[in-house]
Amino acid sequence: MTFRNISREALVGSITLGVVFVAGYFFGKKKSPTMSISKSHCEGKDDPLMQYVLSHSMREHPVLKKLRLRTMEDSWKIMMVACEQAQLMANLAKLIKAKKAIEVGVYTGYNTLNMALALPDDGVIVACDISETYTDIGKPFWKEAGVEHKIDLRIQPALKTLDELMAAGQAETFDFAFIDADKVNIDNYYEKCLLLVRKGGLIAIDNVLWGGKVLNPSPDDQDTVAIDKLNKRLLRDTRINLSMLTVGDGVTLAFKL
């Protein structure tokens, strides 16, 4: 059939429908809902739905709030664990009746304080970091909250601290571990924490979505490659049960079997 056999009205109608279809496709593609992964104190601070979540669920200790606001003054504030994620992990720690915890990566110690508050009075959190510059920010708040006696801060490479805990005979004596440090060593941190955590214990791994970069890791981006590699390996790891959550920048919960 040629255009000569089509009426002018039919031709105009067909073209109009085509334009509407194309416009609808691109408009719909542009407006289609997408999942936004963000921390409440970064991109999420202007998200009405995130603010709804916070106003209807956050029960932040007064000293925790003080430390959070102090941390917001720092240029590296994006490194702080999102308060909604910290509260989730504290609730999980209470649920499994955690008494001993490990934190790999402290920054200003917001989550350290959060976990210390969740532990019983005779509990302990071994907090691993390499910088006193930032941990010194948190120390006065730990003291103000009355939990500094629960926090065993180790300023040295975390792998060394984890090895020392193993050498001291503390394998399978910890209830909870949180990994939020350099990403190149994320697999090593996981393996060592898995040895230190008891059966039924929990390992939480932060930044597993890495701002969405894990969708298409660049071969030259060692951090993203390391995260994606661990994510894929955890799916096949028969030593754990796991859930990957879209909280903060993504957190994986690995329950040791």
Side-chain angles (χ1 to χ4, degrees), residues 167-216:
Q170 297 197 52
E172 297 194 325
T173 65
F174 286 86
D175 307 291
F176 190 100
F178 177 52
I179 300 172
D180 184 21
D182 64 286
K183 307 312 173 189
V184 174
N185 279 307
I186 193 169
D187 186 76
N188 292 325
Y189 295 142
Y190 168 69
E191 286 296 334
K192 291 182 185 296
C193 285
L194 194 61
L195 293 173
L196 288 163
V197 168
R198 64 170 171 82
K199 291 181 179 180
L202 171 62
I203 301 174
I205 307 168
D206 202 19
N207 303 122
V208 294
L209 298 178
W210 204 228
K213 291 182 180 180
V214 291
L215 291 175
N216 187 27

Side-chain angles (χ1 to χ4, degrees), residues 132-195:
E132 289 184 294
T133 301
Y134 295 113
T135 55
D136 282 349
I137 293 174
K139 286 180 180 178
F141 297 92
W142 300 347
K143 183 176 182 179
E144 182 181 351
V147 296
E148 62 177 343
H149 66 286
K150 301 183 191 179
I151 301 171
D152 179 5
L153 179 62
R154 311 278 185 100
I155 301 296
Q156 62 181 15
L159 291 176
K160 182 179 180 182
T161 296
L162 298 176
D163 284 339
E164 288 176 351
L165 293 173
M166 287 293 299
Q170 297 197 52
E172 297 194 325
T173 65
F174 286 86
D175 307 291
F176 190 100
F178 177 52
I179 300 172
D180 184 21
D182 64 286
K183 307 312 173 189
V184 174
N185 279 307
I186 193 169
D187 186 76
N188 292 325
Y189 295 142
Y190 168 69
E191 286 296 334
K192 291 182 185 296
C193 285
L194 194 61
L195 293 173

